[in-house]
Amino acid sequence: MNIIAIPARLHSTRCHQKLIRQAAGRSLIDHTIITALLSQHADRVLVLSEDQEILDAITVKHSKLAGILTGKSDSGTNRIAMALTDEIHEHDIVVNWQGDEPFFNPSHVDMAIEHIKTKRRIAVETFVSEAKHCDLDNVNVVKVVLNSRNEAIYFSRLNVPYKAEKAYIHHGIYVFRGSTLFDLQTIHPLHNVSESLEQLRWIENQMLIQCHIINAFKSGIDVDEDFDKFQQN
């Protein structure tokens, strides 16, 4: 089974209650759900939230879609693991699609779902694109350092690699096997907490993150300025 899980929380420090704010007559969470449902490989699309107000803001109706009220969690991936551990099997594929990513192309997700099924050494697959100059010093845009196999070495909110000819930004969508989701519940906690990036914990625990380089612009709604642009479009 292929499951797209959309972890969602009401309170955001950089863009207040963004997931229930309206654009073109729908909430942001609705827009993200509509895009996720376009995936050709998704058997289910689940919205996971500790906030009933998020679930109440969903107006999309679809046979694949369900909302699940969860307990509190410190990260989106931990929320998914907490909610789905008893429902998934080790060979299932789970996509962590952040609720503030309404623009991401679902065909990229479908490609990664197919790819990870054939690559047992890969723990996680995710997506990067070439950074624009305006992204480099923006701490709301996460940058990625890659090795020669396009595997992630480090993620940072700072401009890395320093003075590189080409830099990459991260798109906050991950593809896991069910077995990896189980492993994430038992690995050591993150030592470097200053970046506030859960994927650094995976790297510290020797988990291989494969990055697909895609042709895309920054797609997440991180701050009020992003939401204003989203409303205008």
Side-chain angles (χ1 to χ4, degrees), residues 34-153:
I34 290 168
T35 303
L37 284 167
L38 295 175
S39 164
Q40 298 297 303
H41 291 339
D43 299 303
R44 301 176 71 190
V45 175
L46 306 177
V47 181
L48 312 175
S49 182
E50 65 192 54
D51 301 296
Q52 184 64 47
E53 196 169 350
I54 292 279
L55 302 183
D56 291 343
I58 298 171
T59 64
V60 180
K61 306 296 182 185
H62 198 284
S63 59
K64 293 181 180 180
L65 177 65
I68 300 175
L69 192 65
T70 71
K72 293 184 180 298
S73 180
D74 60 355
S75 73
T77 303
N78 286 345
R79 187 183 305 283
I80 294 170
M82 177 174 58
L84 300 185
T85 295
D86 295 332
E87 295 192 25
I88 61 175
H89 302 287
E90 63 178 55
H91 297 298
D92 289 338
I93 304 299
V94 180
V95 179
N96 176 348
W97 190 315
Q98 294 185 17
D100 60 1
E101 288 274 0
F103 297 121
F104 198 79
N105 189 335
S107 67
H108 296 318
V109 172
D110 288 339
M111 174 269 296
I113 288 173
E114 287 301 307
H115 187 262
I116 200 170
K117 289 177 180 179
T118 65
K119 304 294 182 181
R120 299 301 304 176
R121 61 188 287 269
I122 298 172
V124 185
E125 301 210 3
T126 192
F127 307 91
V128 303
S129 59
E130 191 169 340
K132 297 180 180 179
H133 186 266
C134 61
D135 297 325
L136 298 178
D137 294 318
N138 184 349
V139 296
N140 296 309
V141 178
V142 175
K143 274 68 73 175
V144 193
V145 182
L146 305 176
N147 66 14
S148 60
R149 296 181 297 276
N150 292 336
E151 298 159 355
I153 299 172

